[in-house]
Amino acid sequence: MGPLVTQLFGLISLTVALDNGLLKTPPMGWMAWERFRCDTDCKDDPENCISEALFRDTADRLAEDGWKELGYEYVIIDDCWMSLLRDEHGRLQPDPSRFPGGIAKLARYIHDRGLKLGIYADMGTHTCMGFPGTTLDKIEIDAQTFASWGVDYLKFDGCSSNPVEQMLGYPLMSKALNATGRPMAYSCSWPVYIGGLPPNVNYSFLGDICHLWRNYYDIQDSWDSVQGIIEWFSNNQDDLQPAAGPGRWNDPDMLIIGNFGLSVDQARSQMALWTIMAAPLIMSNDLRNLDNCARAILQNKVAIAINQDSMGIQGRRLLKGNHIEVYWRPLSHSASVLVFLSRRTDMPYLYHTSLAKLEYDAGNYEVCLPAMSYLVSLLCTEMVS
Ligand SMILES: *[C@@H]1O[C@H](CO)[C@@H](O)[C@H](O)[C@H]1NC(C)=O
Ligand SMILES: *[C@@H]1O[C@H](CO)[C@@H](O)[C@H](O)[C@H]1NC(C)=O
């Protein structure tokens, strides 16, 4: 970080805070990106293209299929919703053929079902897929536009900008969102673009201006991708873990459960690990076509309750060896949870450990629940058979 950037840091951090009481527990919901990408071809692929129908259908499913009651409340639009041109007042506008009703109407539809709407913009000249970006001079007007539409959550990406612009733009957007008077959750992709770790990223500052932030590369629909993310988060947990807490969350990216790339065991593992990492539970899948097994994993009440624990302490990897890893997360009421992740291929494998190895003091412990992935697995087996 150059001296200019460091100075800017000091200047901005005195003047900004977005403590509007939102996201005291990690956000839960659904986002279009990993599953539906930038499919804009509504003529040949009307079911899957980025259009108001996709978000309305998803809102219907969240409201009618038991998701909302479990806490899955945000319906989040990602890239590719915009028209290639701003309107005559310089405001962003949706693509007129794919969002003929406009975003305000879509927001009402979503609110009428007791859900919340998220939208996407990009700090820079263009979004990652080439749609209009939010340059520094457009931050205020874009925040106002989103508020006027009734948006509840902004994902602010960082393609097509440099580190100095990002250093200015992310705090400015925080301030601009606050100035609208509409409480909006603010998801910052900033860390991804500057390496994700201190000293490039000041997580204490980031937590003051954003509710959550993407630390690392986009998730893809594969176990390799999930493993890469877990590995990076665990290897860097000393920097990342203390940054999390109520209203400020590390975001390892979407849940891909229910798509094509994960086996049932791998899907359970993603759910268990996201739970223990106090990660946002934001699915990207097709809720109109979801098999019962994926549904059972994503709707596991124990996993969700642990993820949403009110203390908001992110878990840590305690042990790693013999292709077995043990993760631990403290919970309220003096409870805690362990996840045993096996990457062994010679199953069944008998794993021995002890309280001391798991950093528990000697003493008596009551086992309240069987291990979470076991529970997920029980439910799953029931539903499938
Ligand atoms: C704006 O920021 C102040 C101070 O952090 C906070 O009390 C208020 O709730 C925020 N309002 C909105 C709409 O974000
Ligand atoms: C990080 O940000 C905090 C404000 O949240 C500030 O007090 C601190 O000095 C910053 N640290 C560095 C190394 O810039």
Side-chain angles (χ1 to χ4, degrees):
M1 212 167 7
L4 169 66
V5 173
T6 315
Q7 268 172 24
L8 289 173
F9 232 0
L11 194 73
I12 294 156
S13 52
L14 292 176
T15 55
V16 173
L18 186 65
D19 185 12
N20 57 13
L22 292 179
L23 304 196
K24 291 299 179 199
T25 61
M28 295 176 64
W30 181 93
M31 181 151 63
W33 183 257
E34 196 288 316
R35 176 66 185 244
F36 296 96
R37 306 284 165 163
C38 192
D39 180 351
T40 54
D41 186 359
C42 291
K43 194 160 152 284
D44 291 332
D45 197 12
E47 285 275 293
N48 300 307
C49 67
I50 301 303
S51 71
E52 59 186 33
L54 175 64
F55 298 98
R56 277 200 313 258
D57 286 354
T58 299
D60 290 346
R61 298 281 50 85
L62 287 172
E64 291 166 30
D65 297 347
W67 301 99
K68 184 177 76 173
E69 289 71 18
L70 292 166
Y72 290 96
E73 60 175 348
Y74 287 99
V75 181
I76 306 168
I77 304 172
D78 206 280
D79 203 347
C80 306
W81 62 271
M82 295 171 195
S83 159
L84 284 169
L85 296 173
R86 288 176 176 263
D87 74 8
E88 68 271 28
H89 305 291
R91 292 177 301 209
L92 292 171
Q93 52 185 349
D95 179 274
S97 63
R98 292 182 287 115
F99 293 84
I103 304 295
K105 189 166 170 208
L106 180 60
R108 276 198 299 283
Y109 187 92
I110 285 170
H111 293 157
D112 285 349
R113 278 149 191 79
L115 301 166
K116 294 176 173 167
L117 173 66
I119 207 163
Y120 170 101
D122 185 283
M123 168 67 243
T125 54
H126 295 88
T127 72
C128 297
M129 298 309 293
F131 290 83
T134 304
T135 44
L136 294 171
D137 58 316
K138 292 287 192 293
I139 283 176
E140 223 161 289
I141 189 171
D142 289 356
Q144 292 291 343
T145 304
F146 299 147
S148 74
W149 287 340
V151 165
D152 305 293
Y153 177 117
L154 173 65
K155 172 177 175 179
F156 203 32
D157 213 341
C159 280
S160 316
S161 52
N162 65 42
V164 174
E165 289 162 338
Q166 290 161 5
M167 177 74 67
L168 289 165
Y170 279 95
L172 276 178
M173 179 56 89
S174 181
K175 226 177 148 182
L177 291 173
N178 181 273
T180 66
R182 181 176 178 81
M184 285 184 262
Y186 183 34
S187 164
C188 299
S189 303
W190 189 12
V192 178
Y193 292 88
I194 48 176
L197 294 172
N200 294 356
V201 185
N202 179 339
Y203 277 108
S204 149
F205 176 60
L206 202 63
D208 291 343
I209 64 161
C210 312
H211 295 103
L212 64 155
W213 48 80
R214 280 283 314 287
N215 314 63
Y216 191 61
Y217 301 129
D218 283 7
I219 199 164
Q220 309 297 339
D221 191 7
S222 73
W223 179 235
D224 271 356
S225 170
V226 173
Q227 290 200 93
I229 290 170
I230 297 164
E231 195 61 22
W232 187 85
F233 270 77
S234 304
N235 289 343
N236 296 300
Q237 61 187 3
D238 289 346
D239 287 320
L240 304 178
Q241 191 265 350
R248 37 179 82 201
W249 308 105
N250 291 299
D251 180 6
D253 212 3
M254 294 158 270
L255 293 166
I256 54 167
I257 298 163
N259 295 328
F260 312 102
L262 300 187
S263 71
V264 172
D265 285 328
Q266 292 163 350
R268 287 179 198 139
S269 303
Q270 194 194 14
M271 187 71 183
L273 290 159
W274 262 234
T275 291
I276 213 144
M277 286 195 289
L281 297 181
I282 297 177
M283 310 177 272
S284 190
N285 51 17
D286 187 349
L287 293 179
R288 301 163 300 192
N289 298 295
L290 194 69
D291 67 76
N292 284 337
C293 187
R295 185 183 310 274
I297 294 169
L298 289 162
Q299 296 196 343
N300 185 286
K301 288 190 172 134
V302 176
I304 292 170
I306 293 168
N307 174 270
Q308 297 285 302
D309 183 76
S310 61
M311 287 207 306
I313 298 176
Q314 183 174 326
R316 299 176 62 86
R317 183 169 68 193
L318 287 184
L319 293 176
K320 179 183 174 172
N322 292 326
H323 304 291
I324 305 270
E325 295 165 25
V326 185
Y327 295 78
W328 173 80
R329 180 176 171 188
L331 303 171
S332 32
H333 310 299
S334 312
S336 54
V337 59
L338 291 164
V339 166
F340 296 83
L341 175 71
S342 171
R343 306 201 206 195
R344 296 187 70 92
T345 50
D346 58 344
M347 303 296 274
Y349 173 80
L350 202 54
Y351 180 68
H352 292 275
T353 190
S354 67
L355 285 174
K357 275 191 200 149
L358 301 175
E359 297 178 21
Y360 281 77
D361 295 335
N364 291 318
Y365 294 88
E366 188 185 356
V367 178
C368 309
L369 288 162
M372 174 171 38
S373 39
Y374 180 61
L375 248 184
V376 176
S377 124
L378 265 185
L379 262 176
C380 193
T381 317
E382 250 172 35
M383 304 275 301
V384 175
S385 61

